[in-house]
Amino acid sequence: MNLSVQLAPKNERGLLLANPVMTASGTFGYGTEYSHLFNIEKLGSIVCKGTTIEPRDGNAQPRLVETAGGLLNSIGLQNIGVTALIREKAPIWAKWRVPVIVNITGETIDDYASLAITLDGVAGISALEVNISCPNVKAGGAEFGANAESAAEVTAAVRKATSLPIMVKLTPNTGDIAEIAIAVAEAGADAISLINTLKGMAIDINKRQPLLGSVTGGLSGPAIKPVALAMVYEVASVVDLPLVGCGGITKADDAIEFIMAGASAIQVGTASFVNPRAPLDILEGIEKFMLEEGMESMTELIGTARR
Ligand SMILES: Cc1cc2nc3c(=O)[nH]c(=O)nc-3n(C[C@H](O)[C@H](O)[C@H](O)COP(=O)(O)O)c2cc1C
């Protein structure tokens, strides 16, 4: 059975995954935290925590709240910064068989471009995932990914700055995700991943105050799966790029739904907090399904539920 998928067919370097199961940024650290728990090199790709130019401590506590079928987080991009990432993590990744994708994040277009230049050509880094769910400081704090113009601007700046394959990660917190997808595709994205978390909040009724230190946060987990699935289905009708589905995937059947909706690969996020082996279990479940259905390659599965 051939489970491989090419996520950057138009890029010279390409981004060939041995299978379609990836980890979602911010839920799998730098991969190293999980490598003693199971053979993470069996996965299709590892996506690391969102990386900024400078190290960040993140938001005030509390930063995680469980909700019905979901998780609210407001980590605030706590990370070690790009210099430490290149010095401490990339040399480890360079020895792994599994490709590692660095998720990048900025407050200005220049931040994104500078990160892309810095990461270009670093051994151990196979591609960039561009997180555009961050506030655009120069535009009053609206998410870059909330409007087509700024989403395209970030994508074009990163495209110009690197020859690495770039996957742009869309936010669901926008009026028309199809419009954003078209804009980033035209601006030079090699692939699109979707979705990031949905804006949400929870209140402690006894203290009469928001449960999260930063008031609102991002909702993830099973609660968002139907939303994410519909967005993948919609975006697959308007762009001709490989899509990576993400949002509430906890078992193989969920992953297969996303692939049938048009995703070439999927990311497992919050599920890893419940079961650290979830990505591998999901991979094994996909394999089992394909075997039972007599399928020999991913092309027999991708987009098969589309009308
Ligand atoms: C604790 C936590 C931290 C996250 N950090 C990032 C991040 O740094 N960059 C990013 O693009 N997405 C981040 N995400 C979003 C996930 O990668 C994913 O898009 C989202 O959680 C939906 O998938 P899930 O329902 O499988 O978790 C984070 C999610 C969680 C729960």
Side-chain angles (χ1 to χ4, degrees):
M1 206 190 311
N2 177 8
L3 290 181
S4 70
V5 284
Q6 174 56 260
L7 292 186
K10 293 174 192 157
N11 186 288
E12 237 176 51
R13 300 187 187 210
L15 180 58
L16 186 67
L17 272 50
N19 65 69
V21 179
M22 310 167 69
T23 62
S25 178
T27 63
F28 211 73
Y30 296 93
T32 44
E33 297 87 338
Y34 286 78
S35 55
H36 63 287
L37 295 173
F38 68 94
N39 184 2
I40 61 167
E41 293 189 49
K42 284 189 174 170
L43 301 178
S45 171
I46 308 288
V47 183
C48 81
K49 175 65 191 163
T51 298
T52 50
I53 297 174
E54 299 296 335
R56 284 174 62 121
D57 291 335
N59 289 335
Q61 299 281 3
R63 313 197 295 195
L64 288 175
V65 177
E66 278 192 51
T67 60
L71 176 70
L72 275 170
N73 91 82
S74 64
I75 304 298
L77 296 166
Q78 178 185 7
N79 78 99
I80 60 175
V82 71
T83 309
L85 177 131
I86 292 172
R87 195 181 53 231
E88 295 162 22
K89 307 298 177 186
I92 300 173
W93 298 338
K95 295 192 194 117
W96 290 355
R97 264 180 303 128
V98 57
V100 176
I101 298 175
V102 174
N103 180 286
I104 60 167
T105 267
E107 291 177 345
T108 64
I109 305 270
D110 287 349
D111 286 353
Y112 285 96
S114 151
L115 281 162
I117 290 170
T118 310
L119 291 164
D120 194 37
V122 175
I125 298 173
S126 296
L128 302 180
E129 180 176 58
V130 186
N131 174 11
I132 56 173
S133 303
C134 321
N136 179 350
V137 167
K138 286 190 181 157
E143 285 182 35
F144 283 100
N147 93 54
E149 206 176 290
S150 53
E153 235 183 300
V154 177
T155 308
V158 175
R159 175 71 295 152
K160 216 171 123 201
T162 183
S163 59
L164 281 170
I166 57 178
M167 179 161 81
V168 178
K169 183 168 179 183
L170 304 186
T171 171
N173 303 317
T174 175
D176 183 356
I177 199 161
E179 188 198 356
I180 314 287
I182 293 167
V184 303
E186 285 173 355
D190 292 299
I192 291 177
S193 50
L194 71 166
I195 59 175
N196 213 310
T197 53
L198 283 148
K199 187 174 176 179
M201 74 179 290
I203 287 177
D204 181 331
I205 58 168
N206 296 312
K207 293 188 181 152
R208 293 164 174 71
Q209 64 183 32
L211 273 161
L212 288 172
S214 58
V215 182
T216 61
L219 181 65
S220 62
I224 72 166
K225 194 193 93 182
V227 178
L229 190 61
M231 287 182 166
V232 167
Y233 191 93
E234 186 182 351
V235 168
S237 348
V238 294
V239 297
D240 186 23
L241 286 183
L243 301 183
V244 175
C246 175
I249 296 173
T250 59
K251 54 188 193 301
D253 289 7
D254 300 331
I256 293 165
E257 282 189 66
F258 276 85
I259 296 166
M260 288 184 170
S264 297
I266 57 95
Q267 295 180 351
V268 181
T270 303
S272 291
F273 296 150
V274 181
N275 167 20
R277 265 184 60 103
L280 191 57
D281 291 348
I282 288 168
L283 171 59
E284 287 168 1
I286 296 172
E287 275 172 324
K288 185 167 168 274
F289 178 82
M290 289 177 65
L291 204 63
E292 282 166 5
E293 297 290 314
M295 295 176 179
E296 282 170 4
S297 84
M298 288 301 297
T299 49
E300 292 172 72
L301 198 57
I302 298 169
T304 48
R306 302 194 52 77
R307 298 218 180 115

